[in-house]
Amino acid sequence: MNENSSVTSIDYAPSIHESPVRYFLRAFWRHRSAAIGSVIIILFILLAVFAPVITPYQYDQRSSALLASPSASHWFGTDDMGRDIFTRVIYGARISLQVGFFAIAGSIVIGSFLGLIAGYYGRWRDTIISRIFDILLAFPSILLAIAIVAILGPGLNNAMIAVAVINIPAFGRLMRSRVLSVKEEDFILAARAMGMKNSRILWKHILPNYWSPILVQGTLGFATAVIEAAALGFLGLGAQPPQPEWGTMLSDSREFIQLAPWTMIFPGLAIVCTVLGFNLLGDGLRDLFDPRMKE
């Protein structure tokens, strides 16, 4: 063990009287990626929650200042309809975080449930569920999302459903692989021998041991969901005008990229910063939950 790794292990070692939660929080904030990512995410959450207080205008409020450059009255400038871009970017955080949360939450619940059933019970259940995952993974994710929205119709809610569906296999296969690796362990066999029901074994012994990789995958999947929702909005299949969704804002400002580049720069930066925050947080959680993954 080199000198640097020795120092790191001492810094992260828990004290005798320190609770596991306090130790994790201390290690979390000492991890650079996790700390930076969480600060970025908290900032966007605060902006989304307090958008009416922070922004000086309504997101659909028009003015005579068309394509005005950034100034004291319009920090990010205005779009082709005279709407304040700063206001629309802040309100857009609400939509992107909403899509990411509900889409990934649905993916986690459905995917984890299917993965548990496939991994624990096996046989024909595993065959059917695994083939469903394979079919979903056979299509490029964005094309599958476009197909789902085309069937259901354009709109924010349908975009959330599409993003949730295309992310189900990632969580399902992760949970299935974890269950397959543990279901023959001694403590599971002992629980069966004691007459414990399968549902209780799944809920009490298997699921609690594997929430950490699901949490990491969910954090990283949140970043992917934001990009996928923005892509659907860019194609006109997500949030519909005048909703200030970042992808829709990018689509509406394509023809003004040379005349008024700020109409694309600030929504694009919002997407980049949000995705970066969740990726940094996911990488940090991965390192904290599994120190062997740390470089």
Side-chain angles (χ1 to χ4, degrees):
M1 181 179 293
N2 57 38
E3 182 179 353
N4 292 334
S5 62
S6 177
V7 173
T8 302
S9 63
I10 294 176
D11 290 341
Y12 282 88
S15 61
I16 297 176
H17 303 289
E18 189 174 29
S19 66
V21 174
R22 185 174 180 181
Y23 162 67
F24 176 81
L25 292 176
R26 180 167 64 89
F28 178 88
W29 289 111
R30 291 173 70 94
H31 193 288
R32 184 175 301 176
S33 295
I36 294 175
S38 62
V39 168
I40 295 174
I41 294 169
I42 292 172
L43 175 61
F44 274 94
I45 292 175
L46 292 176
L47 290 175
V49 172
F50 296 103
V53 179
I54 298 172
T55 55
Y57 308 98
Q58 296 296 322
Y59 68 82
D60 57 351
Q61 181 178 342
R62 302 187 183 188
S63 68
S64 58
L66 306 182
L67 297 177
S69 59
S71 62
S73 57
H74 300 284
W75 292 357
F76 290 177
T78 62
D79 61 12
D80 60 311
M81 296 184 180
R83 297 172 298 192
D84 184 66
I85 295 178
F86 174 75
T87 300
R88 291 179 63 79
V89 168
I90 298 301
Y91 274 94
R94 284 186 166 187
I95 295 177
S96 293
L97 294 177
Q98 176 186 347
V99 171
F101 176 79
F102 286 106
I104 295 303
S107 299
I108 290 176
V109 172
I110 297 175
S112 298
F113 174 76
L114 293 177
L116 280 172
I117 298 301
Y120 187 78
Y121 291 100
R123 297 185 179 180
W124 61 270
R125 300 179 183 87
D126 185 20
T127 301
I128 294 176
I129 294 175
S130 296
R131 295 300 78 78
I132 293 175
F133 290 160
D134 292 339
I135 292 172
L136 292 176
L137 291 172
F139 297 92
S141 58
I142 188 61
L143 292 181
L144 181 58
I146 292 173
I148 294 173
V149 175
I151 295 173
L152 300 177
L156 183 60
N157 292 334
N158 292 338
M160 282 191 288
I161 294 174
V163 174
V165 170
I166 64 178
N167 283 284
I168 286 175
F171 296 98
R173 297 183 75 177
L174 175 61
M175 181 59 71
R176 175 182 176 274
S177 65
R178 297 285 177 167
V179 174
L180 287 174
S181 66
V182 75
K183 72 175 185 178
E184 301 300 332
E185 294 288 341
D186 291 340
F187 69 97
I188 299 296
L189 297 178
R192 290 175 182 167
M194 294 172 59
M196 186 175 293
K197 295 182 179 179
N198 289 329
S199 59
R200 184 170 175 80
I201 293 175
L202 290 172
W203 182 257
K204 186 178 178 63
H205 293 290
I206 294 181
L207 192 59
N209 289 304
Y210 295 107
W211 64 269
S212 56
I214 294 296
L215 179 60
V216 173
Q217 181 64 33
T219 306
L220 297 173
F222 203 116
T224 304
V226 171
I227 296 177
E228 291 164 344
L232 291 174
F234 186 83
L235 296 173
L237 300 174
Q240 300 298 301
Q243 289 180 305
E245 198 274 326
W246 293 335
T248 304
M249 293 175 65
L250 289 176
S251 178
D252 293 341
S253 58
R254 283 178 298 174
E255 56 186 297
F256 310 112
I257 187 171
Q258 294 183 337
L259 178 63
W262 55 85
T263 58
M264 293 193 71
I265 289 175
F266 293 110
L269 285 177
I271 296 174
V272 170
C273 291
T274 304
V275 172
L276 176 63
F278 279 101
N279 281 334
L280 289 175
L281 178 60
D283 290 340
L285 291 175
R286 179 200 60 189
D287 294 341
L288 292 170
F289 288 135
D290 189 0
R292 294 172 298 178
M293 297 291 294
K294 191 173 181 179
E295 297 179 358

